[in-house]
Each structure stands twice: as C-alpha cells, then as structure tokens.
Amino acid sequence: MNIAKVIVDVPVSSINQTFDYQIPERFQDILTNGMRVIVPFGPRKLMGFVVGKATESSFDNLKEISDVLDLTPALTNELLDLGKWVANQTMSLYITALQAMLPQVLKAQYKKEIKRITDEALPDPLENLFAGRDVIAFEELEASTIRYPQLQKAVQDGEISIEYLVKSKITKKYVTMIAPARESYLLEEAKQDLSTSAKKQRQILIYFIESPEAIEKQLLLKKLNTTSSTLKALLDKSLLGSYRTEVYRNPYDDDTITRTTALELTEEQQLAVQPIQEKIASGEHDVFLLHGVTGSGKTEVYLQAIQEVIYKGKEAIVLVPEISLTPQMVKRFKERFGTNVAVMHSALSAGEKYDEWRRIQRKEVQVVVGARSAIYAPFENIGIIIIDEEHETTYKQEDQPRYHARDVAIYRAETHQCPVILGSATPTLESFARAQKGVYKLGTLSKRTNEKDMPEVNIVDMREELHAGNRSMFSRSLKEKIEERIQKGEQIVLLLNRRGHSTFVMCRDCGHVKECPHCDIALTFHKNNNQLKCHYCSHEEVMPRNCPECESDLIRYFGTGTQKVEESLTKLIPEASVIRMDVDTTRRKGSHEKLLNQFVNKEANILLGTQMIAKGLDFENVTLVGVLTADSMLHLPDFRSSEKTFQLLTQVSGRAGRHELTGEVIVQTYTPDHYSIELASNYDFTQFYKKEMGMRKTFQYPPYVFLVLLTVTHQNKVKVAQVTQRIVQLLLKSVKDETTVLGPTPSSIPRMKDRYRYQCMIKYRNEPQLRDYINKILDQYAEEMRKEDLVIKVDMQPYHLM
Ligand SMILES: Nc1ncnc2c1ncn2[C@@H]1O[C@H](COP(=O)(O)OP(=O)(O)OP(=O)(O)O)[C@@H](O)[C@H]1O
Ligand SMILES: [Zn+2]
Ligand SMILES: [Zn+2]
C-alpha cells in the first residue's frame, strides 16, 4: 500500500473528497490512518490527514507526501468516522470537523516566506527589504510599501520565489535533570578529596550520596541554596551527569489535594444511579436525564457512576460549561480520582492543553473533565459520557463545525455502547420532552442533600418602586436585606443580568442613540477610558460631549454595567464591600479563581457579577441572592428567551442557603407577572415545562419542529436580499408542504462589520433530503461565494438567532 488518501486543509465543497498521494519509501512502514502529513497542493504545501491507504489510484503522476507530522496518529479511526458524521450533520467540511477535534497546537500554521533566487541586483525597494538576507518573512513585505504587482513581476523575472511553509506549533516542555554519574563510594572518595573551601560542592555530593535518584536541576539548586556554577564544577568532573527530559505542564497543584471517598447516597441518589450502573455493567447504551434541583447532589451521582467505569478499566468524559469549570469543580474530581483526571479548559495555555490532551491520548488518565471540545477526547474505550448543566447553550459551537456536544456525545456513546448522563436543575425542553416520551430515562433528585427547602424567592415590582419615588436600581427591600446581612456577617450574591441589557448612549433631548458605523447595534460605553466600543467589530470612538444630532449636552449613557452598580451600591450602603466579577475583571488567567477565593475568605461581603456567577458556585456563608433586573433578557428576539430567563433565575437562586444557614432570594423586575419569573420563583419546573411547551406548540418552535437558519451576508444590501429571496424560492420548490420556510427577512442585527445580513428560517418535522437540497443551493452559489465574497451560513438547530 503505497498510496495515501488524504483530506487536505483546503475548502473544497464535497466533504469526503480525498486526494491521492504517493507514500515515499521512508514513510511506508510508519504511515497509518489519522496521522497528519504535509503535502504539495498546487503551488503550496498544506497540512492534511491520512484517512486511508490503497495499492492503486485512478490518477497518474501522483505527487509525494512531503512530510509526516506525527509518529502516533493524532486521530483514531473512530474519530475519523465521527468527523465524517459531524461534517454531515453540521454541513461543514470534513477537514473542519477533524481540525475541531485537536488541541490548538496540533493545528498547522502556515507561513509564507520570500526567497531570493538570483545573485543579480534586485529592484531597489526589494533589495532594501532583503537587506543582505536570502530569505525574509512575508509579513515584512506586507508591512513595507512594496505592492503586489511589483512582487509579481519579480517572481516572473525569476528574481525571487515565494515559499509556503507549514509549521506545526508543537511545543514540548523540557527540564534539566541532575543525577549521580558515579557509584556512591566514588562520590564519597571525591568528597574526601575536595578542598575544605569547597563547602557547597561537598553539600551537593552529600545530597547525592544520600539520595542517588535524579532530581530536577532547578529544584536541587533551590533545595541546597546553591548556584549553577557550583554544580557545573561537579558536572565537569563527571561526578554528576545531566540530561533533559520532557515534562507535562500541570496547571493544577495536585499536592494540595486531599482524597475523598464515595459518600453514602441518599435514597433519591441511589435510585438515580442504579439504572446507570446497570448499563455500565452490561455495556449497553442509553441516555439518562438527571433532573435534580440545585444542591441535590448530582455531582456525587456522576462521581459514583465514573467510579464504576474506572473499575471496569474504561474511560469517562465529563463535560462542564466553560464558566462552571472552576477550580472548585475540578477539585471535586481530582479529590476523588487523583492524578487519573485530565482537564481541558480554554483558560489553560496552549502548551498545557496539549499536555493534558497527550495524557489522554497515551491513556495515562481515565477521566477527562472539560468544556465542549473535550467531547472529542481521544479515548478508545469509553464507559460513560456525562454532560453537566445540559441546558447550557455553550454546548453548541457557534463556528463551523456548528455541532452540539450533546449530539456528539450520544453518537459516540452509541459507538462505544455506553450510557450518557445529561444533568440539570433546568433541563432543556428538548431533553425533558424526550424523557417524557421515554426516549431518555428520567432520574429525579427533588430534595437538597442538606434536607433544607429551596430558598424563598420574593418578587419586587420595580414599577411600584418608581411610583413610590425610589429611582435607584435597588428596591427598598433589597437595600434593607443587604444591610441586615452585612450586619450579621453573612454574604450576598448580586446578579446583574447583562445579556440583552445594554449600556448604550442616548441623548435625553432628542432620543438619538449612538450606533456603530459598521454594525446596526448600539455602541457600549466603557467608563475607564471614556470610549464607546462595538462588541461585534471592536470599533472604538471617544464618547462625544454633545449629541451629534441636536448638539444637546444631555447625552448620557443608559443601562447599567457592573461598575455603575458597584458605585451606586457603595454610595447607598457605605458598609458594603464589593467583589466585582465580569468579563473585564476576569480576563486575566487565574483572576476568576482569585476573586472567588477572596470572597470565600470573606474579604468582601458582596459578590456582584454577570451570568458567570450564577453557575455551580457553592458558598457556605451566602444567605441572600439578589437579581437586579430579571427581565432584561425576556425581550430578546429569541424564542428561547423565556426558557433562558427561567433557567438563569433558578440557577442563581440555587446559590443561596446551600449549607447550614437559610437562604433568601430577591428578584427585581418590571414584569412580575411573566410566567417564567413567577414559576421560577416557585421552583416549578413542571408547570413551566407545560406552559412553555404550549407556547412552542402554538408558534411551532422546537421541540415540535426542527430548525435551520440560513444567513446570507454581503456588502451590497440589494444583492443580499435577492440571494435570500432566491434561496427561499428554491427551498420551497423542494421541501414538503408541511415544512415552513420563513423569510427573507433582515437579521435582528441587520448589518455587522459593514456587511448586510438577511436570513431565512426552515421549520420542519421530517425532511430526510434537506441537507441535499441545501447543498445543491450552496453549489449554485459556490462561484459567487468564492469570487464575490458572498457568505451563506447554514446553522442546523441554531441557538443564536441573531
Ligand atoms: N449523599 C450525600 N450525602 C451527604 N452530602 C452529599 C451527598 N451527596 C452530595 N452531598 C453534598 O451536597 C452538596 C451539594 O451537592 P452537589 O454540588 O453535587 O449538587 P448539585 O446537584 O451538583 O448542585 P448544583 O446543580 O447546584 O451545582 C455538596 O456539598 C455535596 O458534597
Ligand atoms: Zn440629541
Ligand atoms: Zn461594529
């Protein structure tokens, strides 16, 4: 088999198109499926994956594989197959699906270089640019004044050539180890021979006579408080030796972890875990929906199911939403399974991620805890897949491949014949409906493990506050309760629901709202540098002093950011000390953890934050949770806005009273009668489910139908409208009568980064051919997409409708 079938890193429309390459002699024995290779493709060199081998090809004059990047395949055969399925499900390219499975450092980086190929003088500007060198980076040229036609001419004249390099960004970490190079008695002799002044050398020799194992150089120097030069003297005498060895970067300090053992389960937990353990024992696939109120001990159920899997010698994947993947969360798994756990988290450095990935690949761990992409962990013997907080929308990837981790989990679990657990206090309507139908098995944890009731929720009507003359963003009762808690030395969590809540600038005289000149959305005010920023395209401008429309100087910013809330809070309640947690304060690595620790250590009495504080946090001393604006999300153009509001309120309420102290929740709202606010305040999931299912049925939304969102974007508005119109017509010709095609309509953000956006939505129950219809349409526009920068985005089962 001297021919390799390679999926090349190039956007071709047919997802399964492979290219044949000759395998050079030197690679024939080592090359297997799933390895990354470098191949010539046109004038370039590209990265590709070997997906098959053959003895003959229907093409002549095959080019040779130039290089092999892996000695162990980066992808298993199972993952290669899975990639095909994901590509098909999400209508993305096979290569894109495969790339998504690998850590960043394994994704090839391309580099262009310009090489001088003549000794003759180059045209002036080029000669200056080369400045005596033979090769320069392409970026240098781009930064210069030289234009492409000049470059092209030089290439045609045979003066320079452009080279494409593929660089793999692998960085392994090495440390220097020091070990004795002689037997102990020889070290002993050498010690005797040392002059009396060589105290430090003697100390090192004594160390190795007592403990002859190798030790990391830096550690040794620190331990003996000595220097490299002292050590060098001994190395030079060949008494000690040194070598470099690869180490894994471990972002977690495993030494401080104390192991825990399985807790005795409550009756409800027992009932929930039993059927799962049966499936693990019999090696059968099934999907379990674990519906458990906050603090009901879902995590303990996961841990005990995983324990069973480990006993069987199999592996476990645990997915946790990015923002819940806190050190607290990771610790619970490490405490139970020790170093048998790898963590895949986006806050890790690229090198750390790569190391964790290799620990999985080399089967050095049996458990991985990670965010969405950990679903592609290269385990080969999976015994369970767990998705915690299954309702979180971050499980859906927003770029190609637009996969949902839940779907991938179920597909992999079928392949491996193992169970899946979907856990949540507020399951999605989709999952709960499936559990009602018996497609998923339902497990219920209705009580908190501390036997306490859920904290009482009080709704405050902010309109009444206004009528009573209170113009602040804190209702009278919230203010009172905060003061009361501070006096008692208890703590408070305040949620500012930012999503859908703007911090826009508006003129109070004429109502003019300052928008981004490239995107049709309001700019956000950033106080620290007095700038207005667009959150879509990063456009920035200085906050104007006067209204650009009417010159009035009453231009102010509206809405509230966490900063503003903090300011008015400390003005209103001077005793309040606040830790603020939002995207700004948690940007730096480790800052999230630091802020949480400060709060746990009671360095402040209030934790104020956005959505990121609603999840998974467990504070003993928190007895009051306040939601400042419960309804800001309700009015977004998204059919899931009620569901998301219900989920958020339930989750954040669950932060109070999780331990000995009784908790209480205050929800401030302008729409106290809205069912998602009312029902969340009673923790009535069942009633919410019924009510919301009724709405979904009336308006024909999931789970009653499936959705596809097609978004067309281009700089020319007329063209966008026309193309979208045409797509709607083409779709209507093919789909069934019962299928609805909505649109064309402008997207809810009609322009972004100077591109107009139109969309059409397909609602269907059963359209087995739908992907073919859409592919046909995409083929029709392939030329325009390539040449005229037309973009048609297809999102199967979309979560972001904007
Ligand atoms: N069987 C048990 N006996 C005693 N304590 C338990 C038991 N199971 C869990 N706990 C404890 O109860 C608390 C809440 O459990 P856990 O965090 O697992 O709940 P959860 O359902 O995952 O909560 P949330 O959804 O709010 O994150 C934890 O402190 C946990 O250690
Ligand atoms: Zn104005
Ligand atoms: Zn913008």
Side-chain angles (χ1 to χ4, degrees), residues 686-737:
T686 314
Q687 207 48 44
F688 175 77
Y689 172 76
K690 284 192 189 136
K691 173 92 188 166
E692 186 65 17
M693 284 296 271
M695 306 291 267
R696 301 284 176 93
K697 188 166 187 189
T698 311
F699 297 103
Q700 285 295 293
Y701 277 115
Y704 288 97
V705 294
F706 296 107
L707 294 184
V708 180
L709 184 67
L710 287 158
T711 308
V712 180
T713 76
H714 191 267
Q715 305 224 338
N716 182 328
K717 188 172 182 180
V718 178
K719 184 176 178 90
V720 177
Q722 278 171 349
V723 171
T724 319
Q725 173 70 42
R726 180 87 190 117
I727 290 177
V728 171
Q729 283 166 355
L730 289 169
L731 282 170
L732 283 172
K733 263 191 224 159
S734 333
V735 298
K736 292 181 186 165
D737 286 346

Side-chain angles (χ1 to χ4, degrees), residues 560-614:
T560 27
T562 42
Q563 254 181 48
K564 174 118 183 270
V565 177
E566 182 181 358
E567 276 171 29
S568 37
L569 185 60
T570 43
K571 211 177 280 168
L572 193 69
I573 308 172
E575 316 84 273
S577 55
V578 182
I579 289 175
R580 186 159 61 84
M581 223 158 98
D582 55 26
V583 272
D584 285 332
T585 61
T586 55
R587 197 163 285 135
R588 247 187 298 131
K589 199 178 148 188
S591 48
H592 191 249
E593 184 181 2
K594 207 171 123 204
L595 292 175
L596 289 179
N597 280 337
Q598 285 173 359
F599 190 60
V600 170
N601 296 334
K602 305 197 182 147
E603 288 170 38
N605 37 39
I606 298 176
L607 177 66
L608 164 70
T610 53
Q611 263 79 350
M612 67 174 73
I613 63 166

Side-chain angles (χ1 to χ4, degrees), residues 263-265 269 294-299 332 449 655 658:
L263 299 173
E264 195 179 324
L265 295 181
Q269 284 173 321
T294 52
S296 60
K298 293 184 288 293
T299 313
R332 291 182 72 179
T449 52
R655 295 313 111 212
R658 292 170 70 93

Side-chain angles (χ1 to χ4, degrees), residues 516-521 523 533-539 751-754:
C516 173
H518 314 284
C519 315
D520 283 339
I521 61 155
L523 292 170
K533 276 189 201 163
C534 171
H535 277 199
Y536 288 91
C537 74
S538 339
H539 167 86
R751 192 167 57 123
M752 204 189 281
K753 298 181 192 176
D754 286 323

Side-chain angles (χ1 to χ4, degrees), residues 378-397:
F379 281 141
E380 291 178 87
N381 200 7
I382 301 174
I384 197 164
I385 303 179
I386 295 166
I387 304 190
D388 189 29
E389 313 281 4
E390 72 95 26
H391 61 276
E392 274 295 310
T393 51
T394 53
Y395 285 127
K396 172 79 192 284
Q397 170 147 310

Side-chain angles (χ1 to χ4, degrees), residues 442-699:
L442 184 65
T444 310
L445 305 179
S446 59
K447 290 194 282 285
R448 286 190 151 184
T449 52
N450 66 0
E451 300 281 326
K452 290 238 165 77
D453 289 335
M454 298 302 291
E456 190 187 330
V457 181
N458 294 302
I459 298 179
V460 177
D461 186 343
M462 290 304 273
R463 294 170 306 187
E464 279 174 17
E465 291 294 309
L466 203 65
H467 294 156
N470 176 11
R471 291 174 161 273
S472 99
M473 59 188 96
F474 299 94
S475 59
R476 290 158 298 178
S477 71
L478 182 59
K479 175 176 182 278
E480 259 167 44
K481 297 204 179 215
I482 292 176
E483 286 168 335
E484 193 188 303
R485 290 318 192 294
I486 292 177
Q487 254 178 10
K488 283 204 219 157
E490 295 171 3
Q491 286 172 296
I492 300 131
V493 166
L494 288 182
L495 172 80
L496 179 69
N497 188 359
R498 280 288 302 275
R499 209 175 295 160
H501 197 294
S502 38
T503 50
F504 55 90
V505 167
M506 184 168 114
C507 169
R508 292 195 181 187
D509 271 338
C510 75
H512 174 75
V513 171
K514 197 80 178 104
E515 288 187 344
C516 173
H518 314 284
C519 315
D520 283 339
I521 61 155
L523 292 170
T524 306
F525 180 60
H526 283 248
K527 191 176 178 207
N528 48 0
N529 52 4
N530 204 37
Q531 292 270 354
L532 295 172
K533 276 189 201 163
C534 171
H535 277 199
Y536 288 91
C537 74
S538 339
H539 167 86
E540 269 189 38
E541 56 184 81
V542 178
M543 166 82 177
R545 284 173 179 280
N546 296 89
C547 171
E549 282 293 305
C550 75
E551 300 280 305
S552 159
D553 59 3
L554 283 177
I555 183 159
R556 294 286 146 74
Y557 85 94
F558 268 66
T560 27
T562 42
Q563 254 181 48
K564 174 118 183 270
V565 177
E566 182 181 358
E567 276 171 29
S568 37
L569 185 60
T570 43
K571 211 177 280 168
L572 193 69
I573 308 172
E575 316 84 273
S577 55
V578 182
I579 289 175
R580 186 159 61 84
M581 223 158 98
D582 55 26
V583 272
D584 285 332
T585 61
T586 55
R587 197 163 285 135
R588 247 187 298 131
K589 199 178 148 188
S591 48
H592 191 249
E593 184 181 2
K594 207 171 123 204
L595 292 175
L596 289 179
N597 280 337
Q598 285 173 359
F599 190 60
V600 170
N601 296 334
K602 305 197 182 147
E603 288 170 38
N605 37 39
I606 298 176
L607 177 66
L608 164 70
T610 53
Q611 263 79 350
M612 67 174 73
I613 63 166
K615 306 278 157 52
L617 305 179
D618 195 349
F619 305 110
E620 264 180 62
N621 197 36
V622 170
T623 54
L624 177 66
V625 167
V627 180
L628 294 176
T629 40
D631 32 14
S632 61
M633 215 159 54
L634 275 179
H635 310 295
L636 289 175
D638 177 349
F639 71 91
R640 289 193 177 87
S641 61
S642 302
E643 187 183 6
K644 286 181 182 161
T645 301
F646 181 86
Q647 288 165 349
L648 182 66
L649 292 181
T650 310
Q651 294 291 344
V652 73
S653 303
R655 295 313 111 212
R658 292 170 70 93
H659 298 267
E660 285 310 304
L661 303 166
T662 305
E664 185 181 1
V665 183
I666 300 255
V667 170
Q668 302 189 151
T669 171
Y670 290 91
T671 45
D673 307 326
H674 193 283
Y675 63 94
S676 60
I677 292 177
E678 243 181 346
L679 294 171
S681 72
N682 297 325
Y683 301 96
D684 196 342
F685 177 80
T686 314
Q687 207 48 44
F688 175 77
Y689 172 76
K690 284 192 189 136
K691 173 92 188 166
E692 186 65 17
M693 284 296 271
M695 306 291 267
R696 301 284 176 93
K697 188 166 187 189
T698 311
F699 297 103

Side-chain angles (χ1 to χ4, degrees), residues 78-191:
E78 186 227 345
L79 290 174
L80 289 176
D81 282 344
L82 179 68
K84 218 175 273 178
W85 180 82
V86 168
N88 184 44
Q89 288 294 305
T90 60
M91 305 204 57
S92 61
L93 299 172
Y94 189 19
I95 183 77
T96 315
L98 294 180
Q99 299 263 38
M101 298 177 175
L102 293 176
Q104 195 60 37
V105 288
L106 291 186
K107 290 171 199 164
Q109 194 184 41
Y110 298 102
K111 205 176 152 210
K112 266 198 278 186
E113 285 182 349
I114 311 170
K115 197 169 172 185
R116 176 191 199 119
I117 50 176
T118 175
D119 291 335
E120 310 280 311
L122 300 175
D124 272 352
L126 272 175
E127 193 66 66
N128 292 340
L129 191 67
F130 272 87
R133 293 168 297 176
D134 288 334
V135 182
I136 59 169
F138 199 79
E139 293 83 63
E140 278 192 53
L141 179 106
E142 283 179 322
S144 75
T145 55
I146 300 170
R147 295 282 143 248
Y148 283 100
Q150 276 174 285
L151 189 68
Q152 212 170 24
K153 185 161 182 309
V155 173
Q156 279 161 5
D157 295 347
E159 294 168 336
I160 57 168
S161 71
I162 300 190
E163 310 271 324
Y164 294 86
L165 305 177
V166 188
K167 275 179 82 179
S168 180
K169 290 179 284 188
I170 296 184
T171 55
K172 293 182 181 169
K173 190 179 168 190
Y174 292 91
V175 291
T176 304
M177 303 292 289
I178 305 290
R182 294 270 186 268
E183 310 259 339
S184 273
Y185 75 93
L186 290 173
L187 296 186
E188 187 65 50
E189 273 175 26
K191 191 185 87 181

